[in-house]
Amino acid sequence: MSASMPLFLTRLFRPFTSSTRLGLNPDGSSASATASTMPEGAEKATVAAGCFWGVEHIFRKHYDGKGLLDAKVGYIGGDTKNPSYRAVCSGRTGHAEALQIIFDPTRVSYRELLELFYKMHDPTTKNRQGGDAGTQYRSGIFYHDAEQEKVARDVTERVQKEWWRAGSISTEIAPAGEWYDAETYHQLYLDKNPGGYECPAHYVRSFPPLSTSSS
């Protein structure tokens, strides 16, 4: 791909090939993620904020070595089994491009991860980030237990009042359903392709510290 190609065209030509993918089903779709052995005391966070290349890149940049133990990009929130990237891009599977993080809560809290989530994308543009439009690019928090749901709703309420007052937050807050790892070539994409597409909506905003509960 020419280095002079505009970023939005680079995004349009994201690879559809499955030749580098591991763990394919016979029909070429991605295999459902098997539960990895999580370190003792580790927790899981799952968020969607548009093109998952940039979401993964920003979270790793901020929290590698600071509590982030592992991260994978993939698909969640849909109603089709074993979706491929091509199928998700069609918008017909219902899935969102998402990031799943394994983290050490003694080093970084779930609340801190969600605060970065709300700083690094625009949650007020429904089903869109930058020029990427479609339900697969929606903003979402997929919680793994009741405590995560409580934190997600509290943080969302606060950022609406304190950070994103000019618009209405459209972030979906829902239970984490079945997760599917994205194809191998999507993992660590911007580390392997430094000149690759980055959504222009993906950058960390300089918001003031968020208020905390008095209780």
Side-chain angles (χ1 to χ4, degrees):
M1 199 69 65
S2 171
S4 63
M5 177 173 284
L7 288 180
F8 77 93
L9 287 180
T10 305
R11 181 67 171 86
L12 290 176
F13 284 94
R14 287 177 65 172
F16 284 117
T17 177
S18 61
S19 61
T20 58
R21 187 192 306 165
L22 300 178
L24 295 178
N25 291 309
D27 64 356
S29 60
S30 58
S32 176
T34 56
S36 301
T37 302
M38 288 178 57
E40 185 176 355
E43 296 181 10
K44 187 182 295 183
T46 305
V47 295
C51 174
F52 49 22
W53 292 348
V55 182
E56 179 187 28
H57 191 66
I58 289 176
F59 271 90
R60 284 189 178 277
K61 180 178 179 180
H62 278 75
Y63 286 116
D64 262 349
K66 300 176 183 178
L68 187 151
L69 304 177
D70 194 15
K72 288 186 176 182
V73 296
Y75 315 118
I76 197 169
D79 51 16
T80 300
K81 295 290 186 181
N82 303 317
S84 66
Y85 172 67
R86 183 187 292 272
V88 172
C89 279
S90 75
R92 293 192 295 268
T93 73
H95 291 87
E97 291 192 16
L99 177 69
Q100 193 159 91
I101 299 165
I102 306 300
F103 67 99
D104 178 353
T106 68
R107 302 190 66 190
V108 59
S109 69
Y110 184 64
R111 183 177 294 270
E112 288 175 302
L113 293 175
L114 294 189
E115 289 185 12
L116 177 60
F117 164 77
Y118 275 121
K119 287 178 179 178
M120 60 73 53
H121 82 299
D122 185 347
T124 69
T125 53
K126 187 174 182 179
N127 297 330
R128 179 171 60 84
Q129 289 297 307
D132 301 331
T135 57
Q136 67 270 33
Y137 303 118
R138 67 188 182 272
S139 175
I141 300 171
F142 300 90
Y143 56 83
H144 293 272
D145 56 36
E147 179 60 25
Q148 284 195 353
E149 179 184 12
K150 179 181 177 182
V151 173
R153 295 192 184 282
D154 180 65
V155 171
T156 301
E157 181 180 354
R158 292 175 192 278
V159 300
Q160 177 68 86
K161 293 177 180 177
E162 300 173 34
W163 290 353
W164 292 99
R165 294 187 296 270
S168 178
I169 287 178
S170 63
T171 302
E172 171 186 7
I173 300 176
E178 193 162 12
W179 169 269
Y180 299 93
D181 283 354
E183 294 81 345
T184 302
Y185 60 82
H186 289 302
Q187 310 297 335
L188 290 166
Y189 185 85
L190 288 174
D191 285 332
K192 294 180 284 189
N193 301 276
Y197 171 82
E198 293 186 65
C199 175
H202 287 167
Y203 62 92
V204 180
R205 281 83 174 163
S206 297
F207 289 131
L210 204 60
S211 65
T212 56
S213 174
S214 58
S215 59

